[in-house]
Amino acid sequence: MTETVSTIVAPEGSLEVLSQHEVERLRDTSGSGLHDLLRRCALAVLNCGTPTDDSREVLETYHDFEIEVIQEDRGLRLKLDNAPAGAFVDGRMIRGIREHLSAVLRDIVYVANEIQNNDRFDLNNSEGITNAVFHILRNAGVLKAGASPNMVVCWGGHSISRHEYDYSKSVGYQLGLRHKDICTGCGPGAMKGPMKGAHVAHAKQREKEGRYLGISEPGIIAAEAPNPIVNELVIMPDIEKRLEAFLRLAHGIIVFPGGVGTTEEILYLLGVLLHPDNADIPLPMVLTGPASSADYFRQVDAFIRYTLGEKAAERYQIIIDDPEAVALAMCHGIDRLTLFRRDNDDAFYFNWRLNVPLAFQHPFLPTHEAMAALNLDTNQPVHELAANLRRAFSGIVAGNVKEHGIRAIEQHGPYKLHAPNALMTHLDELLKAFVEQQRMKLPGSHYEPCYELVG
């Protein structure tokens, strides 16, 4: 039997006292309530460190887990029943996990009450969505107005080899020695490695305020639970706002080896940068990995050049097996970005000038119908093709690890993607390589493709 703990804990951090209405919504198990969302995200945080990337497996393993919000005169309490025992030491919850649990509660309540049910935010237009992203990040306390640009966003797969993980840690170490902070998707693998390396380097530099910012969203958090290095956690309401948050906060972006989720992030970033309004906006981007990952990046680079063209390839560098060179490239790129922001009176803490088109902001629900209807024809503006390719990869991520996607595949079979034969050939080669390299699921687990390619 799975070992569990039942207890009552107080939130950690600056969580405000909730109103009775907010408490009732969190308790509400109906479709309009927030209880199920809170339960799923809380369980993911409490299950940190378990080697699984199947969100449904987590929910089934701890099917009797419950969380209840208790409002007392002296403050807020969380009643946990049958919580994963790994979150506790000698009966007391690990402090970092308690902080993450508080962040989950903070963001779920704020988004539901201040964003989704607030006429101030029009979530059907681009400006309204960007304002919502800004307010969520500001409420979480991650916007540091007085800080110089030093936030490096690191993307990469949760399912990577030990050698690739060690390499990502070495890059993080070189960044930390140069006083750079790290932001990732907060999970394991290439999301944990850079943070761990930077943490050691910050200690060597006596950097006491090192930031390890993790940004997740409800659909992915159970498959990629926050790693223990994360000291600032933000739960965005959906994948699109999560991706926009990365771009608005980033002063540079490093991409390590990964699978479809990492490719989705690359396509999102390049699609935004290829929009004509963003042609002159600097944002350094480096693709990197150990020597053993050279073929991976060759395949990704070939796919990008075929689908998005040579201008897309001009927006990034590929540096193989040289962590110090990666860190130096980031430093030089951030210096150029700093000068640009100063010359244009732009904020350091939030990239307001970047134009993120609505096609990259509007939430995409990967139903079978929506996936089959995606326009993957190459005869369209390149940033629009990037947006649709991003949606295709987002759907495959859902079919691989998200609870609703896994259930949809079981009920209706694989997603079907339609594209011209030439593009389909390139897409097929890339996805088959991900399967062969075990980048779709954690090593050792069987992978059954959740997609079919139809010419």
Side-chain angles (χ1 to χ4, degrees):
M1 293 180 61
T2 303
E3 189 177 355
T4 61
V5 171
S6 297
T7 187
I8 295 177
V9 299
E12 179 79 19
S14 58
L15 184 68
E16 295 180 354
V17 175
L18 301 183
S19 69
Q20 289 297 328
H21 173 68
E22 289 168 331
V23 171
E24 287 305 315
R25 288 203 68 193
L26 286 168
R27 288 174 174 167
D28 187 1
T29 56
S30 69
S32 61
L34 300 174
H35 176 265
D36 183 59
L37 179 61
L38 172 64
R39 178 179 176 273
R40 286 188 286 111
C41 291
L43 178 57
V45 166
L46 293 166
N47 198 46
C48 171
T50 301
T52 181
D53 61 355
D54 188 330
S55 57
R56 188 180 64 173
E57 179 185 327
V58 175
L59 292 169
E60 290 176 350
T61 300
Y62 297 97
H63 62 276
D64 54 355
F65 166 73
E66 268 303 338
I67 180 170
E68 181 182 353
V69 181
I70 303 173
Q71 180 78 305
E72 299 177 347
D73 291 340
R74 59 181 178 173
L76 196 69
R77 296 292 185 271
L78 298 174
K79 183 175 182 290
L80 306 175
D81 291 318
N82 304 307
F88 300 83
V89 174
D90 299 333
R92 297 177 66 87
M93 185 178 290
I94 295 169
R95 182 174 178 179
I97 292 179
R98 193 149 56 103
E99 289 180 355
H100 291 171
L101 190 61
S102 300
V104 165
L105 184 59
R106 175 202 68 210
D107 293 338
I108 287 175
V109 170
Y110 183 78
V111 168
N113 290 283
E114 302 298 331
I115 303 296
Q116 293 172 340
N117 296 310
N118 193 327
D119 292 338
R120 287 195 304 150
F121 299 100
D122 183 354
L123 300 181
N124 292 311
N125 72 50
S126 185
E127 182 180 349
I129 293 172
T130 295
N131 280 330
V133 170
F134 172 84
H135 279 266
I136 295 168
L137 295 174
R138 187 176 69 175
N139 181 68
V142 301
L143 301 180
K144 309 296 184 184
S148 298
N150 75 333
M151 182 62 75
V152 179
V153 168
C154 295
W155 288 336
H158 70 287
S159 176
I160 59 174
S161 69
R162 181 71 199 190
H163 191 48
E164 290 171 338
Y165 172 77
D166 289 341
Y167 180 82
S168 73
K169 193 163 58 173
S170 296
V171 172
Y173 176 77
Q174 293 294 332
L175 291 168
L177 287 177
R178 292 161 176 81
H179 304 282
K180 297 295 181 281
D181 290 327
I182 306 294
C183 173
T184 77
C186 87
M191 291 167 277
K192 179 182 177 183
M195 289 184 168
K196 196 166 185 179
H199 192 271
V200 173
H202 286 162
K204 283 190 173 184
Q205 291 283 25
R206 301 299 187 263
E207 184 80 51
K208 296 181 180 179
E209 303 297 328
R211 301 180 65 196
Y212 315 104
L213 172 60
I215 304 178
S216 192
E217 58 98 11
I220 202 72
I221 190 171
E224 297 176 357
N227 73 68
I229 310 297
V230 172
N231 62 6
E232 298 179 59
L233 176 65
V234 185
I235 311 298
M236 302 301 290
D238 52 60
I239 188 65
E240 286 77 13
K241 293 178 184 62
R242 181 196 192 198
L243 289 168
E244 181 168 353
F246 281 129
L247 266 61
R248 299 289 181 187
L249 292 172
H251 301 124
I253 294 181
I254 296 174
V255 182
F256 295 101
V260 286
T262 304
T263 308
E264 175 188 3
E265 291 164 339
I266 293 171
L267 290 166
Y268 182 94
L269 171 57
L270 291 176
V272 170
L273 294 179
L274 288 171
H275 189 281
D277 291 349
N278 299 324
D280 298 325
I281 294 181
L283 185 59
M285 178 182 179
V286 175
L287 279 56
T288 190
S292 58
S293 303
D295 283 346
Y296 165 83
F297 285 110
R298 178 187 56 76
Q299 291 167 324
V300 171
D301 181 56
F303 181 75
I304 290 170
R305 289 176 187 273
Y306 175 77
T307 55
L308 304 184
E310 296 300 319
K311 283 191 175 181
E314 293 173 2
R315 296 302 304 238
Y316 58 81
Q317 301 177 62
I318 298 178
I319 300 175
I320 299 299
D321 206 29
D322 194 339
E324 186 173 5
V326 173
L328 289 172
M330 272 292 112
C331 290
H332 294 325
I334 291 173
D335 287 345
R336 291 193 295 272
L337 176 146
T338 302
L339 290 174
F340 179 86
R341 299 264 182 107
R342 282 179 176 155
D343 289 344
N344 290 276
D345 295 322
D346 200 10
F348 288 156
Y349 57 87
F350 192 84
N351 190 351
W352 285 108
R353 293 180 68 88
L354 195 70
N355 178 6
V356 180
L358 190 60
F360 290 89
Q361 294 177 306
H362 201 273
F364 173 68
L365 181 62
T367 63
H368 281 70
E369 294 77 13
M371 289 286 281
L374 286 175
N375 177 13
L376 302 181
D377 197 308
T378 53
N379 293 322
Q380 58 182 311
V382 67
H383 62 278
E384 293 180 13
L385 174 59
N388 286 324
L389 283 169
R390 197 284 302 179
R391 292 182 178 117
F393 279 86
S394 186
I396 297 174
V397 171
N400 283 350
V401 300
K402 295 186 180 182
E403 182 195 9
H404 67 85
I406 294 170
R407 293 190 186 280
I409 298 301
E410 288 181 345
Q411 292 174 8
H412 307 293
Y415 294 126
K416 289 182 170 55
L417 293 170
H418 301 267
N421 289 334
L423 188 149
M424 194 61 69
T425 299
H426 284 79
L427 184 58
D428 188 38
E429 289 176 354
L430 186 67
L431 293 174
K432 282 182 177 177
F434 289 169
V435 174
E436 292 169 0
Q437 297 165 15
Q438 292 188 310
R439 299 189 184 279
M440 292 294 201
K441 298 282 286 181
L442 286 174
S445 57
H446 173 71
Y447 180 68
E448 192 69 35
C450 66
Y451 59 89
E452 286 182 4
L453 305 181
V454 183

